[in-house]
Amino acid sequence: MRDARDDVSKVKAAPPERSAPRGSRVGTLQPRQNAHRNTFDLSGLWDFQLDPKDEGEGARWFERLPAPRAIAVPCSWNELFDDARDYVGLAWYRTQVFVPSSWRGERVFLRVGSANYACKIWVNGELVAEHLGGHLPFAAEITERISWTQPATIAISVENKPLPERVPAGSSPAGGLFTGIVGGYPATTYDFFPYAGLHRSVIMFSVPRTHIEDVTVRTTLEGSDGRVDVSVLATDGHSGAGRARFGSIEAALRFRDGVAEVSLRVPDVRPWSPRDPHLQPLVITLEDGQRETDAYTLDVGIRTVEVRGDRLLLNGEPITLTGFGKHEDFPIHGRGFDLPLLVRDYELLRWVGANSYRTSHYPYSEEALDLADRLGVLVIDETPAVSLNFADSGELVARRLDQCQRALDELIARDKNHPSVILWCVANEPMAGGSPGVGGAPPTAVEEGSRFFRVLYDQVRARDATRPVTLAGVMGGPVEWLSIFDVVSINRYYGWYVLGGRLDAAQAALAQELDSLHQKLGKPILISEFGTDTVAGSHSQPPEMWTEEYQVEFLRRYLDAAESRPFVAGVHVWNFADFKTGQGILRAAGLNQKGVFTRDRRPKMAAHFLRSRWCRT
Ligand code: GCB
């Protein structure tokens, strides 16, 4: 047997990975097209080449790929080419594009929506950006790299090695829940396929020399009034004037050192909620004398979220979440952005009566949140920190903490203004040892985890004190970790991984645990995962595991247990749809089949059952 310590010592020798400096706001705001700004979506066919020998940088592949084939951007590379499905290593993307000549005199940026995992960008042969971590956008200014008479050559390298110091860790010396047995190949620490590539659009955009770099909106309700606190950051220490317009309300902005703040009072407010997802545009402008020099528009929904005692409140009223954990996953596209699928998924959420979902196990696209705002869907926004293992070395844990902190900063910067985002989730199923509930965890692991999560909790509250924070806990995981957070989220599989086939006993075990957690912690509890693998079209009476009847009966027990307990703030079924995993003996056909819809979105019996329960009101 290989000694796990070998891996740790290798990690120690490796230099820390580099990424953009923390705190950089470049590209935080979603690019917009308006009178002062332009966007140019570079989606389409790009040149592509795998680089298994890691020779591309030395051989200047950022200028020309020696043997390219065409690839779709955005898309995961895995299901496009047979030799790329399980490929691990470096891959190159390249395209050439004319920057519109009307953009001369403006500042030009290149923004990648999501590249999984480590990414570098070259423009006309110069390295302009590096970024670590999939799922979150990053940008680089390329103004000085552009030749206005020649097309710009854009090259992007993406590397997906399953390194233990990354988040999520591709591998863990201490092992873990999904190592080996569940998702055997490719080996991961998590239960979903390790898709890789340019997953979201690459966008070129222009902004005026002095421009709005960031906008932060906080909303509150005061009696029948609403309040919108707006903070604007402009570039170059701008100290001129600007304006904030929200419906008929207008206020002057006075910038000092690039920052202006204003508080807008909205009489007779129409709060944003799932029943009435009322949005109104907030228009921020910069001015130079009488001239408007930049503008940025943001749809704002006024609402509050808070935890009071053991209740989760939206606009001061208790709310019960109904919905799912999801994945960004579809045949061929993999994790690549798929707008029709997004629209369809929201239609199915509405049909089934769900009011919410969790972005398990990583941040979803910005368009997903835009639609949630418009449709009144509540979102638990999760970081990529799935399956952290505190039995790994202190050094590995420290490096993962750094990645988690970066991802949290980037996530909050990107999503802070969405009314649909009601909770931040800092991690899914961290573990104190190799297998949850089984001994063998180093005695310090729980304590180390507590310190780690306290840091993340404090970081979220410092960036955004307007939303509660949670962590989705594994069965048998330490209660100490759950107790740090405002909402206690628990993933539970009584009746599946334990007490399989014994639904009465499963329901009793769930009820007992819910009551004891409530007694201990006195906080709202969300059952953030529960589900059974179910082969569509497989039936039995009495219900047996893997059949559609069993899935329905299992869900019925959980819903009953939750509904009789007012401190249960919601139920999120695992999963909305079947999704691709690695190959292994617990994942028939390389799929996790706990979806209530199939991977191509056909309803199983469970979807009809949930609809009958959730559409009653
Ligand atoms: C979990 C994980 C999720 C898995 C699920 C399962 O607890 O959070 O990623 O897919 O269980 O189906 O085993």
Side-chain angles (χ1 to χ4, degrees):
M1 272 239 317
R2 224 161 46 110
D3 187 333
R5 275 165 307 188
D6 292 349
D7 294 339
V8 176
S9 56
K10 258 185 240 140
V11 167
K12 278 193 181 141
E17 295 197 275
R18 279 191 298 150
S19 195
R22 274 178 61 189
S24 153
R25 311 270 186 130
V26 172
T28 297
L29 284 181
Q30 223 175 329
R32 293 269 195 267
Q33 178 73 44
N34 63 26
H36 307 282
R37 298 171 163 242
N38 291 289
T39 60
F40 181 9
D41 188 338
L42 305 185
S43 298
L45 290 178
W46 288 46
D47 283 347
F48 178 72
Q49 190 166 344
L50 302 178
D51 182 8
K53 296 196 197 125
D54 213 338
E55 61 192 310
E57 211 168 317
R60 304 183 74 79
W61 286 14
F62 42 81
E63 287 169 355
R64 215 187 113 262
L65 294 180
R69 54 184 153 178
I71 194 168
V73 173
C75 196
S76 299
W77 67 51
N78 312 75
E79 290 187 41
L80 297 184
F81 311 112
D82 292 354
D83 59 328
R85 201 204 48 205
D86 302 326
Y87 176 74
V88 168
L90 201 58
W92 290 79
Y93 294 77
R94 180 186 175 273
T95 194
Q96 288 195 307
V97 64
F98 266 101
V99 182
S101 53
S102 58
W103 292 15
R104 267 181 201 240
E106 307 291 296
R107 290 173 67 175
V108 181
F109 292 80
L110 194 66
R111 185 185 199 250
V112 172
S114 159
N116 203 13
Y117 184 88
C119 179
K120 290 186 182 180
I121 308 179
W122 286 261
V123 174
N124 290 334
E126 298 270 354
L127 181 66
V128 296
E130 292 182 62
H131 185 263
L132 278 182
H135 321 291
L136 287 162
F138 55 98
E141 179 160 13
I142 59 167
T143 319
E144 302 306 325
R145 306 272 158 264
I146 297 169
S147 146
W148 297 94
T149 51
Q150 303 284 327
T153 300
I154 298 169
I156 303 182
S157 71
V158 181
E159 177 262 287
N160 68 335
K161 293 182 187 153
L163 302 179
E165 69 270 29
R166 289 183 170 172
V167 174
S171 50
S172 155
L177 195 51
F178 294 104
T179 312
I181 301 172
V182 177
Y185 177 73
T188 57
T189 58
Y190 43 85
D191 182 34
F192 49 90
F193 192 83
Y195 282 116
L198 290 177
H199 281 158
R200 296 184 195 134
S201 304
V202 179
I203 289 180
M204 203 181 267
F205 66 94
S206 77
V207 288
R209 290 264 144 208
T210 300
H211 59 267
I212 298 159
E213 203 167 29
D214 198 11
V215 180
T216 306
V217 169
R218 301 215 153 94
T219 67
T220 36
L221 297 170
E222 290 168 354
S224 60
D225 290 357
R227 212 182 70 210
V228 182
D229 295 324
V230 185
S231 166
V232 184
L233 180 72
T235 48
D236 306 330
H238 179 64
S239 40
R243 198 154 282 283
R245 212 170 51 239
F246 191 59
S248 57
I249 303 159
E250 248 192 86
L253 294 173
R254 308 242 166 277
F255 285 88
R256 188 172 302 161
D257 297 332
V259 179
E261 287 179 345
V262 73
S263 190
L264 308 173
R265 182 161 288 280
V266 184
D268 294 324
V269 65
R270 192 171 144 195
W272 182 97
S273 72
R275 270 179 210 284
D276 182 19
H278 176 65
L279 296 172
Q280 195 166 307
L282 169 71
V283 185
I284 305 291
T285 55
L286 296 188
E287 288 165 2
D288 183 2
Q290 288 308 302
R291 208 167 53 91
E292 181 183 295
T293 56
D294 189 19
Y296 194 87
T297 304
L298 203 68
D299 283 336
V300 171
I302 301 176
R303 58 106 188 90
T304 59
V305 194
E306 69 193 290
V307 166
R308 214 180 290 153
D310 58 10
R311 300 296 148 91
L312 177 65
L313 309 182
L314 182 76
N315 299 330
E317 301 287 329
I319 176 109
T320 304
L321 305 180
T322 57
F324 304 91
K326 284 183 95 258
H327 265 294
E328 287 184 328
D329 172 274
F330 205 65
I332 309 210
H333 298 211
R335 197 142 290 128
F337 180 62
D338 184 338
L339 198 52
L341 178 69
L342 192 63
V343 173
R344 182 66 188 150
D345 278 3
Y346 276 103
E347 176 63 8
L348 291 175
L349 286 171
R350 186 199 58 75
W351 175 82
V352 79
N355 63 11
S356 56
Y357 69 87
R358 177 167 62 117
T359 70
S360 41
H361 294 307
Y362 37 78
Y364 291 2
S365 68
E366 289 158 293
E367 291 82 352
L369 297 179
D370 291 342
L371 256 181
D373 291 346
R374 283 175 69 156
L375 299 173
V377 174
L378 306 170
V379 176
I380 300 178
D381 209 357
E382 183 161 295
T383 73
V386 49
S387 304
L388 293 166
N389 195 332
F390 291 91
D392 282 331
S393 72
E395 163 122 24
L396 272 181
V397 169
R399 287 174 63 173
R400 290 177 192 151
L401 178 60
D402 187 52
Q403 294 299 317
C404 286
Q405 290 196 274
R406 275 176 201 283
L408 254 184
D409 273 349
E410 291 177 13
L411 179 72
I412 296 172
R414 192 193 71 160
D415 295 347
K416 64 191 170 190
N417 295 325
H418 286 282
S420 56
V421 174
I422 55 159
L423 268 171
W424 302 113
C425 181
V426 303
N428 181 75
E429 300 203 340
M431 285 171 293
S435 299
V438 178
T444 53
V446 173
E447 233 173 83
E448 203 171 338
S450 294
R451 274 198 300 275
F452 190 102
F453 292 120
R454 178 54 67 193
V455 169
L456 295 187
Y457 179 83
D458 291 345
Q459 185 184 342
V460 179
R461 299 299 293 180
R463 305 282 183 284
D464 174 20
T466 70
R467 292 173 176 91
V469 192
T470 193
L471 166 141
V474 69
M475 279 183 89
V479 177
E480 290 90 328
W481 296 349
L482 299 177
S483 73
I484 294 169
F485 294 87
D486 305 309
V487 173
V488 176
S489 296
I490 54 171
N491 299 347
R492 292 298 179 263
Y493 289 90
Y494 299 110
W496 188 252
Y497 291 121
V498 297
L499 299 172
R502 299 169 56 198
L503 289 177
D504 287 340
Q507 186 173 5
L510 174 70
Q512 195 274 326
E513 193 187 0
L514 285 172
D515 292 335
S516 105
L517 274 177
H518 178 237
Q519 211 176 14
K520 255 188 233 152
L521 303 176
K523 296 184 178 184
I525 298 179
L526 171 72
I527 311 180
S528 42
E529 282 186 24
F530 58 108
T532 65
D533 282 274
T534 304
V535 178
S538 176
H539 296 282
S540 72
Q541 173 53 36
E544 281 181 5
M545 294 173 79
W546 295 89
T547 66
E548 296 204 30
E549 284 80 0
Y550 191 84
Q551 188 180 31
V552 168
E553 286 313 312
F554 173 99
L555 297 181
R556 188 194 309 282
R557 311 299 174 115
Y558 277 68
L559 263 51
D560 287 348
E563 273 171 24
S564 56
R565 292 174 171 77
F567 59 83
V568 175
V571 284
H572 276 178
V573 175
W574 190 256
N575 187 286
F576 175 72
D578 295 348
F579 60 91
K580 190 166 169 67
T581 63
Q583 303 175 57
I585 53 168
L586 294 185
R587 295 290 177 261
L591 291 178
N592 182 312
Q593 301 191 45
K594 296 194 183 72
V596 306
F597 294 94
T598 59
R599 199 175 185 211
D600 60 355
R601 277 40 178 182
R602 285 172 292 121
K604 299 180 189 173
M605 268 173 64
H608 293 280
F609 163 70
L610 290 175
R611 179 171 150 79
S612 73
R613 291 285 288 247
W614 289 346
C615 291
R616 281 186 304 200
T617 46

